[in-house]
Amino acid sequence: MVFEQLKLTLKSFSVLKNQHEALVTLDFDKSQRREALMRLCFSPMAAWLLVLVLLFFIISPLRHHFSLTAMLGMENVVVRTLLGTDWLYAAVLSGVVFVISYFTRKELLLVGIVGFLISQGDMHLFLGLMLLACIVLARILLNLHWVRFLESYSKGVWLVTCGISFVTWALAVHFSFEIYRSLLQGGFFAQSMYANRLETFILAVCLYYGLELVVLSVWGHFYTQKNPEPSEFAIKYSSARILKKLSLSKLFKEDLKDQVIVTKNNQRVYENADLDLLPKRLVELHRKEESFLTTALSSLT
């Protein structure tokens, strides 16, 4: 079970996609509850390829060969912004990067670009840490936006996940800037404009995803030991409202579509039943879930 969820996580290459697929898996009962929660907790490990790419930048033979500073000169507005000589521009850039990350959902790609610029000596490390914080925060706030569309058990799990992600993000921001300040005061970056900057950035990246992974895993370990009350599963399939907006792979969508068709066919038994003889709450639940399934099938077609 553990290795299967790790495999799915490592193959996704996207923290956001892995989280969304875990949420839908949980909401649509695509697998056991424990497995879906396990994948949700493992999601930060999807950033493994990003870390490898950043480590490659350290030994890359092309490092320092495509420097914007050398090509454009120190007086260029882009260079001045990236090197942090004008913090008004830097603040504007942070806002722009946050918006780009929020709407494009290219978290790992954007972090990789920031790491590349730092490796080339084209970006101030402090600015790079600011952009890293903005990029990760965009994912957390985007996920938090979907909470209002969910119901019942899925909503509770997603809300807790977003809360844990935000707390670990805040801790990572604090620790990364404290580490930077301590190293700066200790003359750690005094050797050259390149020395130790990329390595410190990689440490910060590992701090963001590592903290989130550890805390989510601890929470998930104890949460899966809990036997939920049947009432917690009162409403399923509510994530159908946002299927079109979630980051899901093509294969995952195809599998989900097949499952939705089977589920709808199985629920047709109610059509031949005398609904007046059934509890009102059960009838309302059936109709609501049937509506969600219809919405899901429409979104997946």
Side-chain angles (χ1 to χ4, degrees), residues 56-85:
F56 173 76
F57 288 159
I58 297 177
I59 60 174
S60 172
L62 300 179
R63 191 175 182 184
H64 314 320
H65 283 70
F66 299 98
S67 172
L68 290 177
T69 304
M71 289 188 291
L72 302 178
M74 286 295 297
E75 296 304 315
N76 183 272
V77 65
V78 174
V79 174
R80 288 173 56 201
T81 301
L82 295 179
L83 291 179
T85 55

Side-chain angles (χ1 to χ4, degrees), residues 22 33 75 80-81 83 89 92 103 111 113 143 147 155 200 216 219 223 226 243-244 254 269 277 280 285-286:
R33 167 177 166 267
E75 296 304 315
R80 288 173 56 201
T81 301
L83 291 179
Y89 289 151
V92 173
F103 287 103
V111 175
I113 292 173
N143 279 340
V147 169
K155 182 173 185 176
T200 304
L216 278 174
W219 165 75
Y223 194 73
K226 173 184 175 184
L243 277 181
K244 286 185 176 180
E254 291 174 353
V269 65
L277 300 178
K280 182 179 179 181
L285 176 62
H286 163 69

Side-chain angles (χ1 to χ4, degrees), residues 88-151:
L88 176 60
Y89 289 151
V92 173
L93 178 62
S94 297
V96 170
V97 169
F98 172 85
V99 172
I100 292 174
S101 180
Y102 187 92
F103 287 103
T104 65
R105 308 182 186 187
K106 301 298 183 182
E107 175 184 354
L108 302 187
L109 175 62
L110 291 173
V111 175
I113 292 173
V114 172
F116 175 76
L117 292 173
I118 291 175
S119 72
Q120 295 294 100
D122 289 326
M123 179 176 286
H124 197 289
L125 177 57
F126 189 86
L127 176 60
L129 294 177
M130 287 177 59
L131 297 184
L132 174 62
C134 291
I135 293 168
V136 177
L137 179 62
R139 166 174 56 88
I140 298 171
L141 295 183
L142 179 65
N143 279 340
L144 190 61
H145 173 70
W146 306 130
V147 169
R148 61 194 178 97
F149 296 99
L150 303 174
E151 295 188 32

Side-chain angles (χ1 to χ4, degrees), residues 232-251:
E232 292 187 55
F233 295 90
I235 300 174
K236 294 187 292 186
Y237 319 127
S238 61
S239 57
R241 296 168 171 172
I242 53 176
L243 277 181
K244 286 185 176 180
K245 300 178 181 179
L246 295 179
S247 299
L248 306 172
S249 67
K250 182 178 180 181
L251 180 60

